[in-house]
Each structure stands twice: as C-alpha cells, then as structure tokens.
Amino acid sequence: GGSLFAITPAGGPTGKGSPFELTPPSSPADPWTETVLTTFAGPHSPGHVFSNLLGLANGVLLGTSAGGGASNNGLIFALVPPTSPQGSSWRDVPVYSFTGGNGGSVPNGGLVFGRNGALYGVTLNGGNSTACLNKGCGTVFELKF
C-alpha cells in the first residue's frame, strides 16, 4: 500500500496545524513513519483545518481551512510537493479566499469532485439568511479550475 496524507486542525510550531504523511513499514510488525510536510506560517496560511486532503493526479493536495485567507474567513489551499526530493519541503498555496457574507465563510467540510470536474464543499457561515446568530446558515460552493 501507499502513503496516507492527513492534517491536524491545530498544533505544530505556529499552532495552525500540521500536514503530514504516514508511510507504511516494510514489515507489518514495524510502526508507520510520520513525516511533517510543511509549517503553516504566513498571514494568509491555513489555520484550523477540519477537512480531508484531496489528492490530485499531479501530487498536489487540496484542503479547506476555517481560518486564514485574505480576510480571515477561511480558504481553499493547495499543498504542493517539492520539486526536488533533497532537502525541500512542501509549499502551502492559497487557492481561494472566502469573503464572508453571501460568499460564505468558515469552510468546515471536505472537498469532493463533481462529475463535471469542479470541486464542491460547504461553509459553516454565510449565505443570504440572517438566521443562525445573524452569521448566515452556510453555503454550498462550487470551484471550477
């Protein structure tokens, strides 16, 4: 079997979470090996990630973050693998920043691909309703590449 990729919602050196890879052992009696992929450090970096990581064919991993982004309403981010295997770490790259209001905020579910190749997900807040503590009751979003 291959490696597993996941992310913690908090912790790591900056407290914003840590994406990691679990590599299976060569012998079933041995433990798996954990490797931290990168440290989220920039002002627009992900934070409080409560989603899966969705792998693309080119090795890029996509996820959503309840915090971070241009207006701190959350974002969709990409984890881009290193170009050389020696001494380089993965990079986190913002893909889309949520704007709040009708544009939604606090994406808290995972991402899924639709039949049309677009990504779909949900946000906890936003939308055109004033219910749900005047923050909106969330949105369903589509992101096309």
Side-chain angles (χ1 to χ4, degrees):
S3 294
L4 299 174
F5 292 89
I7 193 164
T8 62
T14 62
K16 292 185 172 189
S18 293
F20 61 92
E21 175 183 9
L22 292 175
T23 307
S26 54
S27 168
D30 293 333
W32 288 54
T33 303
E34 177 188 12
T35 304
V36 174
L37 302 178
T38 190
T39 299
F40 296 137
H44 302 301
S45 289
H48 308 294
V49 178
F50 297 103
S51 78
N52 62 322
L53 292 173
L54 183 65
L56 304 179
N58 61 1
V60 171
L61 303 172
L62 296 174
T64 61
S65 171
S71 58
N72 205 31
N73 283 304
L75 76 149
I76 297 172
F77 64 90
L79 292 172
V80 180
T83 54
S84 72
Q86 308 299 331
S88 186
S89 67
W90 290 57
R91 293 179 301 118
D92 70 281
V93 178
V95 172
Y96 177 80
S97 290
F98 289 88
T99 59
N102 286 347
S105 65
V106 190
N108 64 340
L111 296 168
V112 296
F113 275 111
R115 288 184 184 172
N116 61 356
L119 286 174
Y120 292 90
V122 298
T123 65
L124 181 63
N125 296 330
N128 60 8
S129 171
T130 57
C132 303
L133 303 174
N134 290 324
K135 293 182 178 183
C137 296
T139 62
V140 176
F141 62 85
E142 174 187 63
L143 181 68
K144 294 181 180 179
F145 285 89

